[in-house]
Amino acid sequence: MRHFPVRLLVFPALLCSAWLATAARAQTPPPDTSVPTLEAVTVSGEQPGPGLWRATRDGHTLLILGTLTPLPRKMTWKTDEIDEALAHAGALLMPPHVEIKPNTGFFGRLALLPSLIGVRNAPDGATLKDSVPADVYARWLAVKARYIGSDRGVERYRPIFAAIELYKDAVKKSGLARSGDITRTVAALAKKHGVAQVEVTYTLLVDDPRAAVKAFKRSTLDDVSCFTQSIDNIDAQLADMAARANAWATGDVAALRDDRRAKQRLACLNAVTEGGVAQRIGLADVPGTIRARWLTAVDAAVAANTQAVAIVSIDDLLGAHGYLEALKERGYAVESPDGGE
């Protein structure tokens, strides 16, 4: 009998809330709903991408491709630079990621599935109108009409899941798309050159997943702040997402260094990781753990190869506590694609 993992769906879905924070302006006032939204203009055709960050230590080199989501839907990425890098590389570190799985056997995982039904919904049959302040709900109705439409199912969602739905539908209407093709393209190039692909994964096993799901369904999340900032900033977010997407596509590294979204991202992540259920299963420690595992994998790959390549989210790379700063602390000399440190 084939064994396959059934993921504990609730927490990976919640982690997607980080997407909501892209380029948020924490001080932006609520949008004037009487002003029509202008569709963001995104680049198209073949584009070079942002170039590669270079980290060197003891004569060995790590070349890093920073990825971004979303990207222009009609863009074709010119892969000459990453192709050349992989042609001389001994390893490709895939994007670090987290898997949360039930620590049970095959039949235990099947038994878990019914308990996942309705996990996005607010507890006790509450609606968004019941869950958020009246003025916030009024603003929600305005942006919902603009981007989601008349869907009533979302009204039963917890605020953070409603914000995710808003984000997804708004992105679809803005000429942007998720960037999974970038990673798939790099993996295909690595395979062409016979480069070993190194997975950087942190698997969090949940001993009693059914109890965790039931506890989550009964619990409340402090996600009103995340929801409020998401709906108040959605128009500005779309404009900034398009600007950053264009910056990635055209290789404008300076424009990618944008930390205005930090406050909203923190609010959304805290809503996920500070809850009692998340604390009990160890979710609060995940960001630091996956960062440490990536750094360990980098040290091993660089020590074993004259040149290695890595794929990492731009948002993880940049910033005061980003992966690039961590590399510097470990003795690597880091150079930006535009020639700066």
Side-chain angles (χ1 to χ4, degrees):
M1 180 179 295
R2 181 186 177 193
H3 289 240
F4 60 93
V6 178
R7 295 189 181 184
L8 184 58
L9 302 181
V10 54
F11 296 108
L14 280 171
L15 286 175
C16 292
S17 63
W19 293 353
L20 304 174
T22 303
R25 293 185 176 91
Q27 302 302 320
T28 302
D32 180 355
T33 55
S34 65
V35 179
T37 303
L38 299 178
E39 184 175 346
V41 178
T42 55
V43 299
S44 60
E46 190 174 60
Q47 301 294 335
L52 305 176
W53 275 263
R54 178 182 297 268
T56 56
R57 188 175 72 177
D58 299 331
H60 293 222
T61 299
L62 175 71
L63 298 174
I64 308 169
L65 173 67
T67 60
L68 182 70
T69 289
L71 289 175
R73 183 180 294 120
K74 296 182 180 180
M75 177 200 74
T76 300
W77 178 39
K78 187 177 181 181
T79 59
D80 294 3
E81 185 176 7
I82 190 70
D83 192 14
E84 176 67 15
L86 287 166
H88 299 90
L92 168 65
L93 277 68
M94 301 301 288
H97 66 282
V98 180
E99 291 183 348
I100 304 177
K101 297 180 179 180
N103 192 15
T104 62
F106 174 74
F107 292 106
R109 293 170 186 171
L110 288 182
L112 170 65
L113 291 179
S115 67
L116 293 173
I117 297 173
V119 76
R120 292 178 299 184
N121 293 349
D124 301 322
T127 65
L128 280 173
K129 188 175 182 179
D130 303 323
S131 305
V132 303
D135 61 324
V136 174
Y137 184 70
R139 298 200 297 274
W140 155 258
L141 289 179
V143 296
K144 176 193 172 188
R146 188 182 308 150
Y147 295 114
I148 298 179
S150 60
D151 180 7
R152 295 183 179 180
V154 71
E155 293 292 327
R156 295 284 181 184
Y157 286 6
R158 294 171 182 262
I160 197 168
F161 284 107
I164 291 172
E165 199 68 21
L166 174 67
Y167 166 87
K168 288 163 54 180
D169 286 5
V171 164
K172 288 178 183 178
K173 295 183 178 181
S174 65
L176 301 169
R178 293 183 62 185
S179 60
D181 286 344
I182 299 299
T183 298
R184 286 190 289 270
T185 297
V186 175
L189 291 173
K191 185 176 181 180
K192 179 185 76 171
H193 292 294
V195 178
Q197 298 180 33
V198 180
E199 296 289 339
V200 183
T201 306
Y202 172 45
T203 302
L204 181 62
L205 295 176
V206 182
D207 289 330
D208 192 347
R210 181 181 289 274
V213 171
K214 288 182 178 179
F216 176 79
K217 286 183 175 181
R218 294 192 301 266
S219 69
T220 58
L221 292 175
D222 185 16
D223 55 355
V224 174
S225 176
C226 170
F227 178 79
T228 302
Q229 292 186 49
S230 298
I231 64 171
D232 285 352
N233 290 301
I234 187 64
D235 293 328
Q237 285 176 5
L238 288 175
D240 284 352
M241 278 189 282
R244 288 191 91 207
N246 289 342
W248 190 97
T250 59
D252 186 352
V253 175
L256 289 171
R257 296 190 176 99
D258 183 352
D259 60 359
R260 289 175 293 179
R261 73 197 199 94
K263 184 175 180 180
Q264 184 182 350
R265 184 182 188 188
L266 182 62
C268 292
L269 290 178
N270 283 347
V272 176
T273 60
E274 298 303 316
V277 178
Q279 293 282 343
R280 285 198 296 274
I281 70 170
L283 189 62
D285 298 328
V286 165
T289 301
I290 192 65
R291 180 174 180 260
R293 293 203 174 194
W294 184 81
L295 291 168
T296 299
V298 165
D299 286 344
V302 170
N305 301 281
T306 304
Q307 180 165 296
V309 176
I311 315 171
V312 181
S313 163
I314 285 284
D315 294 321
D316 287 332
L317 279 180
L318 304 179
H321 303 289
Y323 288 20
L324 294 178
E325 283 300 316
L327 288 173
K328 293 177 185 178
E329 292 170 2
R330 294 169 89 90
Y332 290 86
V334 178
E335 183 180 344
S336 168
D338 55 9
E341 290 189 356

